[in-house]
Amino acid sequence: MQIVRPNVDRPLAARGPYDFVVVSNRLPVDRVTDDDGVQGWRRSPGGLVTALAPVMEGHDGAWVGWHGAPGETLEPFDNQNMHLVPVPLSEEEVELYYEGFANSTLWPLYHDVIAPPEFHRTWWDAYHQVNLRFGEAVAAVAAEGATVWVQDYQLQLVPQYLRELRPDLVIGFFNHIPFPSPEIFAQMPWRQSILEGLLGADLIGFQRPSDTANFLRCTRRFLGATVKARHVNLETASGGARRSSRAEPFPISIDVGRIQELAVRPDVIARAKQIREDLGNPKTILLGVDRLDYTKGITHRLKAYGELLHDGSLKVEDAALIQVASPSRERVESYRLLREEVDGMVGRINGQFDTMQNTAIRYLHHSYPVEEMVALYLAADVMLVTALRDGMNLVAKEYVASRVDSTGALVLSEFTGAADQLKAALQVNPHDIDGLKETIVKAVNLSRSESGRRMRSMRRQVLDHDVQRWSRDFLATLAQSAAKGGAHLP
Ligand code: F6P
């Protein structure tokens, strides 16, 4: 198939009025229907939108993204002081671009091939067609010299398309998931195109220093780029002027203020108490909260927990595990298989250990509003985060932020981005089931003074680094990189 290139002859008059544009695969709103059947939009919960909404309001801001309904085309609309520009995706594009290339090629490849990535040329074609559409939508609304911030792995070609369409723009990109080592990235048949796509940005942000280093090594190895002090210099296709992009780590965080506010609200505290009572007031409540995704290590956690019950280290009368697994990407085969596996494991463990009064695992295949999540965090003595690979893991940071009295223990996989910052967590290698079991037992029995010391240390880190600071840091570095003229070296 012929690769479609952007139409760079767009007349200047087609520029839009917005001087700050965010672009992500999904718009930060959910469709809701009120009691009278009237449809509207509600801002989705989540740190990214919380961090960026004030920036949007301070500038003339627009957010470009898919509104979540396949085959539907919508006009731009305003919601809570944000201008939203929906990008349409057909049923076929959802299948090939979103479920296919984004979530069955890039997602497993970037998460250390925990599941085997599939490489299909039809998926790749759809990916670059859709990326081009997102790029054109941004180019049409961005004002002269506007700042554009592209989010995540679904849109890695957008920076380059935008650069070609609108050389006047300041372009940032942030990758929310890990970036793989060159040894793994080498498998990608379109590896050069993806790297060139990202290098359209003036600043490329990653979660961890190791992701940044992986990306820089990939540009050297697969593009022959020169890398100096985290700046990538690349000859343009014409061999003329050189372009330079900067790559830096910016570990993302959460809306700490909002979580803390909920953690002291009387109704949320009462709900936490209710949750404990509903479980029969066990000595220890353990909690797992994840999207139902194979990167999260849910089966490893369940295996360890089942063995602890089996060998008597934990007793169902004393301990209860709540596992929230929110539905995700349910039409993708590997997610369907995971659900079957988790359902089966939970069924077997509960069948073996439940009593009339006690249940071993309270398994909830739902999503919950943030108020309920904070009540769960408050109810839990031990939080289990056992991801096999995770860009950051914001659940770990939310748990820490909600523990305003500095109680509670966090078991945290060393393969999460959060492990870089939450050094005082009980860190584990989730593949080491014996090690995981020992750490869970240690967390359950942690003395008040040791858990307090660890939690206070983690709280200092999280309270000092909220998502607002993350977005400020990124945007300040982006402005600095662009002001230095880094984008166009002589
Ligand atoms: O960063 C991971 C990510 O893919 C985000 O882009 C997205 O908001 C979240 O996980 C949920 O994924 P999805 O949009 O595929 O439901």
Side-chain angles (χ1 to χ4, degrees), residues 383-398:
M383 181 81 215
L384 300 176
V385 176
T386 56
L388 307 177
R389 197 86 176 91
D390 208 333
M392 177 51 58
N393 198 285
L394 296 178
V395 163
K397 292 188 174 180
E398 286 183 356

Side-chain angles (χ1 to χ4, degrees), residues 26 98 103 107 152-154 176-177 291 329:
R26 285 184 197 271
Y98 170 72
N103 289 317
W107 183 267
D152 228 352
Y153 65 101
Q154 300 95 342
H176 291 249
I177 69 172
R291 272 188 312 105
R329 304 174 188 163

Side-chain angles (χ1 to χ4, degrees), residues 290-293 324-330 335 339 364-368:
D290 311 86
R291 272 188 312 105
L292 190 42
D293 192 298
V324 176
S326 51
S328 185
R329 304 174 188 163
E330 291 181 292
Y335 288 75
R339 180 163 184 203
L364 306 158
H365 186 239
H366 304 290
S367 300
Y368 292 99

Side-chain angles (χ1 to χ4, degrees), residues 102-352:
N103 289 317
S104 303
T105 305
L106 292 168
W107 183 267
L109 186 76
Y110 283 28
H111 287 86
D112 283 355
V113 296
I114 297 167
E118 288 182 48
F119 302 104
H120 298 294
R121 286 164 289 180
T122 47
W123 292 1
W124 166 245
D125 292 339
Y127 183 77
H128 71 72
Q129 301 266 14
V130 168
N131 270 243
L132 179 56
R133 186 175 312 142
F134 275 82
E136 285 177 341
V138 174
V141 296
E144 176 74 21
T147 294
V148 178
W149 193 355
V150 186
Q151 308 288 330
D152 228 352
Y153 65 101
Q154 300 95 342
L155 302 179
Q156 292 173 103
L157 307 181
V158 169
Q160 183 189 21
Y161 287 150
L162 265 182
R163 178 69 62 208
E164 290 174 18
L165 286 165
R166 295 286 306 271
D168 58 296
L169 298 177
V170 173
I171 304 171
F173 179 92
F174 185 76
N175 199 52
H176 291 249
I177 69 172
F179 197 88
S181 69
E183 291 70 27
I184 288 179
F185 191 69
Q187 291 180 25
M188 169 59 75
W190 307 281
R191 58 199 187 192
Q192 284 172 332
S193 304
I194 287 179
L195 294 172
E196 283 167 1
L198 290 168
L199 288 170
D202 298 296
L203 175 65
I204 306 159
F206 296 94
Q207 299 280 26
R208 307 179 86 165
S210 55
D211 299 319
T212 314
N214 284 345
F215 171 74
L216 293 171
R217 286 170 63 211
C218 285
T219 64
R220 249 192 241 119
R221 175 144 356 147
F222 301 119
L223 296 179
T226 319
V227 178
K228 226 178 180 176
R230 289 181 170 160
H231 284 75
V232 183
N233 297 326
L234 198 63
E235 300 285 332
T236 57
S238 57
R242 285 189 306 147
R243 273 197 36 75
S244 170
S245 305
R246 182 170 169 186
E248 294 285 344
F250 295 90
I252 199 171
S253 190
I254 54 162
D255 186 0
V256 176
R258 173 85 178 124
I259 300 289
Q260 294 217 107
E261 191 182 293
L262 290 171
V264 295
R265 229 170 67 179
D267 58 324
V268 177
I269 295 171
R271 174 70 191 136
K273 206 161 161 250
Q274 181 71 48
I275 291 170
R276 283 200 88 95
E277 273 165 26
D278 289 349
L279 289 170
N281 272 320
K283 261 198 230 147
T284 309
I285 294 182
L286 301 99
L287 174 68
V289 173
D290 311 86
R291 272 188 312 105
L292 190 42
D293 192 298
Y294 52 81
T295 58
K296 304 291 183 183
I298 300 171
T299 55
H300 295 62
R301 187 182 315 161
L302 294 179
K303 188 172 175 53
Y305 195 69
E307 287 190 17
L308 287 171
L309 289 171
H310 187 256
D311 61 30
S313 309
L314 292 180
K315 297 213 172 353
V316 75
E317 298 78 26
D318 298 334
L321 170 62
I322 305 175
Q323 176 61 57
V324 176
S326 51
S328 185
R329 304 174 188 163
E330 291 181 292
R331 299 200 319 182
V332 177
E333 181 65 3
S334 44
Y335 288 75
R336 264 206 296 260
L337 293 174
L338 175 74
R339 180 163 184 203
E340 279 174 25
E341 194 182 353
V342 172
D343 287 359
M345 283 182 88
V346 172
R348 278 192 296 279
I349 295 172
N350 282 347
Q352 193 174 351

